[in-house]
Amino acid sequence: MASDKKKNYSTEGLNSRQEVQDALASAGYQPSEQVTEAEAALKAQQSAAPGDYQSRYQDQIDRTLNDLNARRAFHYNYAQDPLYQQYAQAYTQNAHNASADAAAQAAALTGGYGSTYGQAVGQQQYNAYLQNLNDVVPELYQLALERYNMEGDDLKTQYSLLADQYQQEYGQYRDMLSDWQTDRSFLSGRYDSERNLDYGMWGDARDFAYQDYRNGIADQQWQ
């Protein structure tokens, strides 16, 4: 490469110091092919910079967290419990049936005529079935509480899983960014090294050409 630089600054045919200086000034520095290639590689690496981190899980994390924060304290109202409504419908129907059966049996004992005794027996059976319905309420309360806790646990588990996915994804992004930065640093150092070397050789060649011209003039004067 050095010999090529020297050929670029030949002083052959120049007859004065001013002509030599003008020729050297007009030539200027031209980067070598190695420098041009190193610069192109660096620019390509810079244009391939990773964008800002954007998680695929952030929206899901936000929604899950909002659902967790929006949960109210546990409160049970059996009258609004669909399961209690089903029990109430079944128990009320059974109470009516039992009351009617008891009243019919009492009427049979009195020769088929209605009596206050039959009504009382029927009412007792009806009340007994409704009492059984009330006994179910504590069980339904416990089921509702367990369901409430389970829903909360499911949301916490979902949030934890999403957070793990977020951390894993972010770690991969950081690794990719670090690799890109390492490659950019390498290519930047390579470009700087090639350019400094090439520019130094260009300067040496220019100085050599000028010194070669001066040596020629000195030889002519000596002769």
Side-chain angles (χ1 to χ4, degrees):
M1 182 182 293
S3 60
D4 292 338
K5 293 294 183 183
K6 292 176 182 179
K7 290 178 182 179
N8 289 338
Y9 293 99
S10 173
T11 57
E12 183 178 355
L14 301 179
N15 300 316
S16 68
R17 176 179 298 179
Q18 187 62 46
E19 288 181 357
V20 173
Q21 291 176 340
D22 291 344
L24 294 177
S26 63
Y29 169 71
Q30 295 295 327
S32 66
E33 181 179 353
Q34 290 85 346
V35 174
T36 302
E37 290 177 352
E39 182 181 17
L42 176 59
K43 289 181 178 179
Q45 180 67 14
Q46 291 174 334
S47 65
D52 294 336
Y53 174 66
Q54 294 181 345
S55 175
R56 296 174 296 172
Y57 304 98
Q58 189 61 59
D59 290 342
Q60 299 179 60
I61 290 175
D62 292 340
R63 287 195 299 268
T64 304
L65 185 59
N66 288 337
D67 291 342
L68 276 170
N69 293 332
R71 278 171 58 83
R72 297 180 179 179
F74 176 73
H75 174 73
Y76 181 72
N77 185 345
Y78 69 88
Q80 297 178 354
D81 188 349
L83 186 57
Y84 175 83
Q85 300 298 331
Q86 295 177 15
Y87 272 97
Q89 183 178 0
Y91 273 75
T92 300
Q93 184 61 48
N94 291 336
H96 281 298
N97 293 338
S99 177
D101 290 344
Q105 292 176 7
L109 294 176
T110 59
Y113 296 97
S115 65
T116 56
Y117 171 74
Q119 293 177 358
V121 171
Q123 187 63 42
Q124 288 176 356
Q125 289 295 322
Y126 184 85
N127 292 339
Y129 270 87
L130 292 186
Q131 180 59 44
N132 291 335
L133 174 62
N134 293 333
D135 293 340
V136 173
V137 172
E139 178 182 351
L140 297 181
Y141 173 92
Q142 187 63 33
L143 290 175
L145 178 60
E146 292 176 358
R147 184 167 57 251
Y148 173 85
N149 291 333
M150 185 178 299
E151 290 172 354
D153 291 341
D154 288 343
L155 285 174
K156 292 177 182 178
T157 299
Q158 182 180 358
Y159 180 82
S160 178
L161 291 174
L162 289 171
D164 289 343
Q165 292 292 332
Y166 177 94
Q167 291 298 329
Q168 181 178 356
E169 181 188 57
Y170 184 68
Q172 292 173 347
Y173 170 81
R174 292 295 302 174
D175 290 342
M176 178 181 64
L177 181 62
S178 177
D179 291 343
W180 175 83
Q181 291 172 336
T182 299
D183 292 342
R184 182 189 61 177
S185 178
F186 169 79
L187 292 174
S188 178
R190 174 188 170 193
Y191 168 72
D192 290 341
S193 177
E194 289 286 356
R195 191 180 188 284
N196 290 337
L197 176 62
D198 189 60
Y199 190 83
M201 294 177 65
W202 169 78
D204 291 344
R206 181 186 58 181
D207 294 344
F208 176 84
Y210 183 68
Q211 186 62 43
D212 184 57
Y213 167 77
R214 293 196 61 180
N215 290 340
I217 294 300
D219 290 345
Q220 293 176 5
Q221 292 175 347
W222 181 81
Q223 293 176 357

